[in-house]
Amino acid sequence: MKIATWNINGVKARIDNLLHWLREAEPDIVCLQEIKSVDEQFPREPIESLGYHVETSGQKGFNGVAILSKLRFDEVTRGLPGNDADEQARFIEGVFSTKTGALRVVSLYLPNGNPVASEKFAYKLGWMERLEGWTRARLALEEPLVLAGDYNIIPEPADAKNADAWLDDALYQPESRQAFRRLTNLGMTDALRSVSDQPGVYTFWDYQAGAWQKNNGIRIDHLMLSPEAADRLSSTSVQKHTRAWEKPSDHVPVVVELAA
DNA sequence: ATGGTAGCCGTGCTA
């Protein structure tokens, strides 16, 4: 079972790349972020033609998440609970039936939070607090759970080419990193980190200032696994080659393979 | 080096 996350940075602008990658990598479940599309405009037909079921939570212009799955959805839930005033499309949960039981997969797009001295950073921290509460409740189910997405968090210095350059950035604030660690402390496993703690594994390279050419990247796209999912983790992969494609997203897909 | 690029949608906002 191959489960992927990819911040696509505009699904309509990226549809050719997405279809090419789906054919090449053949993932079973794909979590997309920043689809930047309303649900009605999401290019679902060519994706469905490749054998995927499609569930979206979009909004106009920015944000928006989706899950593509070769398995049928048993349940779909949109939105992270805990703030009725929050209208940003950043969270969608799908439940699937596998040979070994239920599998829960979330596609999340955590707020960027910049600039730090703004209500945007407070929104980010509030969102993370809600995510922590949601995760604690879901962990009580003792099911395989994959929380996949763009966390907009650099967990450790080794997750940036030049961590010092991010000291004033919301992605690398102590509060952001602490909130990420709280997910780990609840029992969630950072899939990539658990396979290797080698530095220099990045998932995002800015379009600006030749970041890709200089390998000036950061690791901010994460798949967090419940114990029941982590027990089945067999491999991980960062699909770095897609960053060199024509019209690339600034993020690349990250894939985990779970046994059975 | 306080710029630079990209998407969406409309001439600004978000990242």
Side-chain angles (χ1 to χ4, degrees):
Chain A
M1 171 82 64
K2 289 166 79 171
I3 303 174
T5 183
W6 193 6
N7 180 320
I8 197 80
N9 189 22
V11 70
K12 296 190 289 281
R14 212 76 60 211
I15 185 63
D16 290 345
N17 278 7
L18 175 59
L19 294 172
H20 188 262
W21 184 73
L22 290 175
R23 288 195 193 94
E24 173 184 287
E26 298 190 322
D28 297 288
I29 298 175
V30 182
C31 298
L32 298 178
Q33 301 87 37
E34 283 207 88
I35 63 174
K36 295 185 175 180
S37 171
V38 294
D39 295 340
E40 295 73 25
Q41 301 295 324
F42 189 96
R44 57 168 52 242
E45 289 82 4
I47 297 169
E48 287 170 341
S49 297
L50 295 180
Y52 290 93
H53 302 272
V54 177
E55 294 288 348
T56 63
S57 179
Q59 71 180 90
K60 185 174 175 174
F62 60 109
N63 298 331
V65 290
I67 301 178
L68 323 176
S69 173
K70 294 206 168 172
L71 303 176
R72 224 185 330 274
F73 288 81
D74 290 343
E75 297 173 36
V76 181
T77 310
R78 292 168 180 78
L80 178 63
N83 180 0
D84 293 340
D86 185 0
E87 296 184 340
Q88 299 193 30
R90 298 179 173 277
F91 187 97
I92 185 170
E93 175 192 21
V95 184
F96 309 94
S97 298
T98 72
K99 285 176 283 184
T100 51
L103 168 68
R104 283 176 194 272
V105 177
V106 169
S107 178
L108 66 87
Y109 177 46
L110 220 143
N112 175 295
N114 279 304
V116 172
S118 74
E119 70 290 342
K120 291 183 180 178
F121 190 59
Y123 173 64
K124 176 178 195 151
L125 296 182
W127 208 93
M128 297 192 72
E129 203 170 311
R130 288 155 59 200
L131 180 64
E132 183 186 349
W134 184 94
T135 302
R136 184 182 288 107
R138 280 292 183 265
L139 281 168
L141 298 175
E142 301 188 347
E143 292 173 348
L145 164 69
V146 180
L147 279 185
D150 177 358
Y151 282 69
N152 270 314
I153 294 172
I154 302 165
E156 301 290 340
D159 297 314
K161 178 72 177 296
N162 179 14
D164 286 351
W166 297 88
L167 282 171
D168 295 327
D169 196 286
L171 278 61
Y172 195 58
Q173 289 306 293
E175 295 93 330
S176 308
R177 297 174 57 199
Q178 283 163 7
F180 186 83
R181 282 199 297 275
R182 282 200 293 274
L183 288 178
T184 305
N185 294 339
L186 282 178
M188 300 296 284
T189 295
D190 176 346
L192 255 63
R193 170 81 0 107
S194 75
V195 167
S196 167
D197 60 0
Q198 294 298 307
V201 176
Y202 309 132
T203 65
F204 168 91
W205 296 260
D206 202 291
Y207 290 121
Q208 304 179 71
W212 168 244
Q213 287 74 12
K214 292 186 269 190
N215 194 30
N216 183 17
I218 52 177
R219 189 175 75 96
I220 56 174
D221 299 275
H222 308 298
L223 294 110
M224 303 295 284
L225 312 179
S226 70
E228 293 76 12
D231 285 347
R232 299 177 194 182
L233 178 63
S234 56
S235 72
T236 65
S237 168
V238 178
Q239 303 278 292
K240 190 174 177 179
H241 65 288
T242 63
R243 187 62 178 79
W245 286 356
E246 291 289 316
K247 271 191 68 137
S249 170
D250 41 5
H251 298 248
V252 299
V254 183
V255 186
V256 300
E257 186 148 15
L258 304 184

